Amino acid sequence: ILGPQPPYEIEFRARLDEFRDKAQYGAVFGGDWHGAPCPGDTTDGCFNHYYEFRVRYRDVAGEKYLEYRLRRIDGHDGNNVEQGEDLVEWTRAEGVNAEDWVKWSVRYGSRGGISFKANNSELPGSAEDKKYDAPFYFGVYAKAGENGDTEARFDKFNIAAD
């Protein structure tokens, strides 16, 4: 979906169907896309660059929690592995029930400031990056962890310009 000119805020509710350590879901924004099905004959213009807000479920010695990070993806290698840099390292989402619906919010400010909320509470960690600040495409995804497939549910997805 084509996003608005910054500043804007992306909001979505999400939860996992099965709770496996390192199961992941999230949102991407600032993506390039040429409008054709991906992948087609080529991956040019098919979400080659974007920001990735990723949420990861953790179950470490019976302690269950969610953590998040923000990456800027600048391309993919020959095996389609994302190449980019972490703008916010993995950070634990304190006060969030890891096995319930969570309302996530990612705000992209007019000067490239990127910040986050969970269930309307500000989260630590933010970034300044304007590399992909034009009105690019965005979406949601789920990513399998090391422990099997991942199924995530998304609800009430919204993007709004300030």
Side-chain angles (χ1 to χ4, degrees):
I1 299 172
L2 183 61
Q5 189 74 26
Y8 58 82
E9 188 166 13
I10 298 169
E11 292 181 335
F12 63 96
R13 285 182 0 126
R15 75 179 296 265
L16 293 166
D17 270 354
E18 294 183 27
F19 303 100
R20 295 187 180 111
D21 189 41
K22 298 187 180 176
Q24 303 169 53
Y25 62 83
V28 296
F29 56 100
D32 61 326
W33 182 49
H34 49 53
C38 294
D41 295 336
T42 176
T43 58
D44 292 342
C46 195
F47 276 81
N48 289 303
H49 67 72
Y50 49 89
Y51 296 104
E52 175 191 73
F53 175 72
R54 185 181 293 188
V55 177
R56 181 167 67 178
Y57 177 82
R58 297 305 319 263
D59 185 350
V60 180
E63 185 180 9
K64 299 170 183 170
Y65 60 93
L66 296 174
E67 57 187 5
Y68 60 92
R69 79 171 177 192
L70 177 69
R71 294 190 80 207
R72 186 186 67 226
I73 306 301
D74 298 314
H76 297 81
D77 68 14
N79 294 319
N80 203 29
V81 175
E82 300 105 346
Q83 304 296 304
E85 68 176 280
D86 288 354
L87 300 177
V88 175
E89 300 282 335
W90 286 113
T91 304
R92 189 170 173 156
E94 299 289 349
V96 174
N97 182 342
E99 296 184 351
D100 200 357
W101 285 95
V102 179
K103 179 183 174 187
W104 297 100
S105 174
V106 179
R107 185 176 194 305
Y108 190 93
S110 59
R111 295 186 177 152
I114 306 170
S115 59
F116 323 102
K117 292 181 186 177
N119 296 331
N120 298 317
S121 295
E122 296 283 339
L123 293 172
S126 62
E128 296 285 330
D129 195 284
K130 289 186 70 142
K131 191 165 186 178
Y132 306 130
D133 67 348
F136 291 110
Y137 291 85
F138 67 96
V140 295
Y141 71 94
K143 185 169 185 166
E146 299 168 7
N147 299 317
D149 294 340
T150 297
E151 289 187 30
R153 293 180 183 256
F154 294 92
D155 187 28
K156 297 185 179 180
F157 192 90
N158 185 52
I159 185 167
D162 285 356

